[in-house]
Amino acid sequence: MGTPSAEDGPGTPGTPSTPSTPSTEAAVSTPGLPAGGAAPHPAEAAGAAAELPAGQGKRLHPVTPWRRAWAPLTGMSAVLAQNAEQLPGWLGSLGPGRLLLLALGLLACGSAYGFLSWRVTRYLVTDTELRIRTGLLFRRTAHLRLDRIQSIDITRPLLARALGVAKLKMDVVGSGEADELAYLGEEEARALRAELLARAAGIAPEAVPSAGEAPARELHQVDPGTLVRALALTGRVWAPVVVTLVVAPLLWWFSDSLFATAAFLLPMLAAIWRAGLGTFLLQYGWTVSESPDGLRLDHGLLQRDHATVPPGRVQSVRLVEPLLWRARGWVRVELRVAGEGTESGLLVPVAPRRLAADLVGRILPGLDIEGTLAAITPVPRRARWAAPVRRVGYGLGVTPSVFVARSGRLRRVHELVPHAKVQSVRLTRGPWTRLLGLAHIHVDHGANGTASARLLDAAQAEREVAAQAVRSRLGRRTAVPERWLTGGG
Amino acid sequence: MEPALLTMRRLLLVCWLAPLALAAGVLPPLLGGPALALLALPPLAALPWGWWALGRNWASWCYLERDDDLLIRRGVMWQQLTVVPYGRMQLVEVTSGPLDRRFGLARLQLHTAAAATDATIPGLAPAEAERLRDRLTELGEARSAGL
């Protein structure tokens, strides 16, 4: 009988492949499983030695296989549901006894698969890397460089909270998807997160186990009342409601078909849910705290999420002020971090301006936000021939540390890019803008985004582009070091 | 840019437009009246205009290696000036398709951590493309920094 490691063939270290999803792999691997189940220890250890030294890797929480056991069952029920018409015929020919046997067999296969894939999944933290080895049939070994980790999130869905486990998600530059370790014990996840962040920050490895989780100081918590009022004042929540209320009766009136109406209503209801209650549940109890390893974000009512944003990894900051928030002085702060994963990239869903300025000041040290916003100059009057309405929102500001572009007449957006994070600068103009003597500046940053200052005076734009190239070069020299606790490169 | 790039692009233009004009001038008169042969006029008119526009566009491309960054300027109607500091370059790529090779051309593309960075120089002589690639790589290493 082949052991799992013998079946899989040699591992491929460092392959940047996508994480294998249990649901798709389940169907492939269950028939090939050895009937005996568990593999003898020494053989597996020998197979693992190529990437992880024997006995050094750690396993995930024992609850994990149960998550995986569901995959074949769901796959099976999906197949059955799709062939619903032939179902009675099949069932009749099988008889109840065999049916029970079949279900039990499937369950056994599922659990065996879950158990085995749990057995072969290991992770190990070295001085420079986090190594994750996973996959029963298709071996995947991921080596994540600690100094390239952009953020580490802990997610605890409702069921996982009841069981006391958590999912750890790591964002690394250059890998398409976030790598995750699911599930770990809650304490273990927290300790691992602290260790990874400490090592990424450059603390000596011997000191790590005792360093523990860095102490956090709460900076701001959004109270539920403010969150509800803020959500109620945004168009994003009401737009799907209005669309539904207008279109659904019209559709019913004209088509007179229940099916068409339902086909429209169901996605709309989902959109309403997502925009309204879903957002509330996600952003409930939003807490921002400060700790030496970065800003910590905790949020969620049913599913608790925890994210840490290390300093110096933020590529750009967006301050968003919807029209109805402005009178109250509220602002939403969004962050762009290299790599995907930090969901929605929110720093805080709603905060008073002063507090938002304080938070942004902690992310981009030495930035005086009021002074920065005051430095913004509006675009020339003749820009009204290019954008009569939106012209009013456009503006550009430059301070010694950041490039700021303003846009939006009703919903005002300020996009701040630190000079040190600028990847390239572009100046563009079309035929019409050229005729008006105007030009756009686009500043590309490392989080796959662009801050655009539109409709500037052409001569000013030329000057700014030349100056920006110099600023971004010099900005790099004064930037926060890569290993921010020890100051090493 | 190499003049070969202009030759190649003009040749491509003729290769596309000539059969189109021929098809528009022959097929409709056979199916309908002879007046429909006028349909061949737009592609024929597009030919000199395209010839001229390609020439203008070719002349607009230029790049400049400065001490710390690379400038690329292009476009006549829609102008674009791109500045890429050497320290931000993640990868320098030289590609050359079959047609490019036939005309002795190579295309150089710079990648930074931002996908929006649009820094491509088409139509370099292969030797110049290689020289530029090596120099940019060297400068990039000397001035490189993390994200």
Side-chain angles (χ1 to χ4, degrees):
Chain A
M1 272 335 299
T3 63
S5 40
E7 271 179 19
D8 288 343
T12 47
T15 356
S17 58
T18 52
S20 53
T21 49
S23 52
T24 52
E25 211 179 293
V28 184
S29 61
T30 28
L33 278 183
H41 246 298
E44 195 198 326
E51 296 100 23
L52 299 181
Q56 278 203 19
K58 283 194 199 155
R59 292 216 174 96
L60 300 174
H61 196 271
V63 163
T64 313
W66 295 107
R67 177 182 81 137
R68 307 228 159 142
W70 289 112
L73 281 185
T74 11
M76 197 64 199
S77 8
V79 170
L80 287 182
Q82 279 193 346
N83 302 302
E85 309 99 69
Q86 293 113 306
L87 206 56
W90 289 0
L91 295 185
S93 67
L94 274 176
R98 288 200 202 161
L99 201 65
L100 192 68
L101 217 60
L102 189 71
L104 279 180
L106 271 178
L107 195 65
C109 284
S111 335
Y113 168 70
F115 176 73
L116 285 176
S117 71
W118 169 72
R119 268 191 75 93
V120 299
T121 303
R122 284 160 180 272
Y123 68 91
L124 175 71
V125 186
T126 69
D127 287 352
T128 54
E129 287 177 332
L130 167 67
R131 298 178 185 171
I132 306 174
R133 197 175 63 107
T134 179
L136 195 57
L137 280 188
F138 299 95
R139 173 75 52 81
R140 169 170 192 260
T141 313
H143 290 208
L144 312 182
R145 274 183 61 183
L146 295 184
D147 56 347
R148 285 287 182 257
I149 287 185
Q150 300 293 308
S151 67
I152 302 183
D153 300 357
I154 294 183
T155 306
R156 290 183 297 152
L158 193 58
L159 197 62
R161 272 172 85 186
L163 291 171
V165 294
K167 196 192 282 186
L168 200 67
K169 219 156 72 178
M170 282 132 304
D171 233 326
V172 183
V173 176
S175 81
E177 282 175 68
D179 275 281
E180 58 177 36
L181 284 173
Y183 287 93
L184 295 169
E186 239 163 69
E187 278 310 306
E188 204 185 350
R190 211 160 285 160
L192 182 61
R193 193 189 63 88
E195 186 183 350
L196 290 179
L197 281 173
R199 282 183 193 266
I203 293 184
E206 315 77 69
V208 168
S210 58
E213 188 166 58
R217 189 167 65 82
E218 185 177 316
L219 294 176
H220 178 59
Q221 178 162 27
V222 180
D223 73 287
T226 312
L227 184 61
V228 169
R229 272 182 292 150
L231 285 177
L233 288 178
T234 48
R236 217 190 286 178
V237 173
W238 295 110
V241 177
V242 172
V243 170
T244 312
L245 286 182
V246 172
V247 178
L250 283 177
L251 203 65
W252 173 249
W253 181 266
F254 284 111
S255 72
D256 214 20
S257 133
L258 190 66
F259 183 74
T261 318
F264 169 74
L265 266 182
L266 284 179
M268 285 316 287
L269 285 178
I272 292 174
W273 167 270
R274 239 198 344 261
L277 201 55
T279 314
F280 174 75
L281 290 179
L282 184 72
Q283 299 181 347
Y284 176 87
W286 194 286
T287 310
V288 184
S289 12
E290 187 185 38
S291 75
D293 50 16
L295 281 184
R296 301 231 176 118
L297 311 174
D298 288 280
H299 58 98
L301 182 60
L302 301 179
Q303 167 176 328
R304 290 293 292 175
D305 289 321
H306 174 109
T308 304
V309 185
R313 302 288 159 106
V314 174
Q315 304 277 338
S316 99
V317 176
R318 270 158 61 95
L319 305 173
V320 184
E321 296 165 272
L323 180 66
L324 296 175
W325 286 19
R326 267 191 259 162
R328 290 159 195 269
W330 286 345
V331 53
R332 177 169 77 231
V333 186
E334 298 172 4
L335 302 178
R336 293 283 180 274
V337 176
E340 304 306 312
T342 37
E343 287 144 55
S344 71
L346 265 185
L347 173 63
V348 60
V350 52
R353 255 187 113 105
R354 283 182 63 85
L355 193 99
D358 179 50
L359 289 180
V360 173
R362 281 167 204 275
I363 291 177
L364 309 172
L367 177 71
D368 161 33
I369 195 96
E370 293 302 331
T372 307
L373 298 192
I376 294 178
T377 50
V379 298
R381 252 187 87 75
R382 62 179 184 282
R384 70 176 179 274
W385 299 109
V389 180
R390 283 184 301 165
R391 165 187 82 90
V392 181
Y394 289 136
L396 162 78
V398 175
T399 72
S401 58
V402 292
F403 173 93
V404 194
R406 185 182 67 189
S407 66
R409 173 153 199 173
L410 300 179
R411 178 170 164 275
R412 184 162 293 166
V413 178
H414 288 100
E415 182 136 26
L416 285 70
V417 184
H419 294 318
K421 301 295 180 190
V422 173
Q423 298 287 329
S424 64
V425 190
R426 287 176 294 141
L427 180 142
T428 59
R429 53 193 138 173
W432 184 239
T433 39
R434 196 154 43 93
L435 209 64
L436 292 169
L438 301 170
H440 314 300
I441 296 184
H442 308 276
V443 167
D444 306 314
H445 55 77
N448 267 344
T450 301
S452 297
R454 297 186 167 273
L455 300 174
L456 304 166
D457 178 68
Q460 182 204 359
E462 298 258 3
R463 274 199 310 278
E464 286 299 338
V465 166
Q468 187 63 41
V470 176
R471 279 192 297 255
S472 62
R473 198 177 73 237
L474 298 180
R476 173 63 78 200
R477 292 189 194 144
T478 55
V480 180
E482 198 85 334
R483 298 195 152 178
W484 61 93
L485 283 183
T486 51
Chain B
M1 300 304 114
E2 292 291 309
L5 179 72
L6 183 60
T7 318
M8 183 180 88
R9 288 188 167 172
R10 282 182 169 164
L11 194 72
L12 277 176
L13 179 80
V14 173
C15 286
W16 279 106
L17 283 182
L20 197 70
L22 201 69
V26 171
L27 284 181
L30 288 179
L31 299 172
L36 286 179
L38 289 175
L39 280 178
L41 277 183
L44 281 179
L47 198 59
W49 181 81
W51 191 273
W52 170 75
L54 282 179
R56 278 209 324 167
N57 181 273
W58 172 78
S60 74
W61 278 90
C62 52
Y63 64 91
L64 176 64
E65 296 163 68
R66 296 202 302 187
D67 287 345
D68 294 290
D69 41 34
L70 182 78
L71 299 190
I72 302 172
R73 186 188 281 279
R74 66 173 171 85
V76 180
M77 292 284 270
W78 278 269
Q79 299 178 347
Q80 175 161 323
L81 170 73
T82 306
V83 185
V84 185
Y86 295 134
R88 301 299 199 281
M89 284 185 304
Q90 302 276 328
L91 166 72
V92 185
E93 193 178 31
V94 176
T95 53
S96 185
L99 202 61
D100 287 333
R101 279 202 300 277
R102 177 77 188 67
F103 283 87
L105 294 172
R107 160 187 291 262
L108 183 120
Q109 190 167 11
L110 304 182
H111 296 272
T112 68
T117 302
D118 174 23
T120 308
I121 313 177
L124 291 170
E128 164 70 357
E130 265 161 41
R131 182 199 69 81
L132 200 58
R133 179 195 63 198
D134 291 344
R135 187 176 136 76
L136 291 179
T137 316
E138 192 184 307
L139 287 168
E141 261 164 27
R143 292 170 170 74
S144 157
L147 279 177

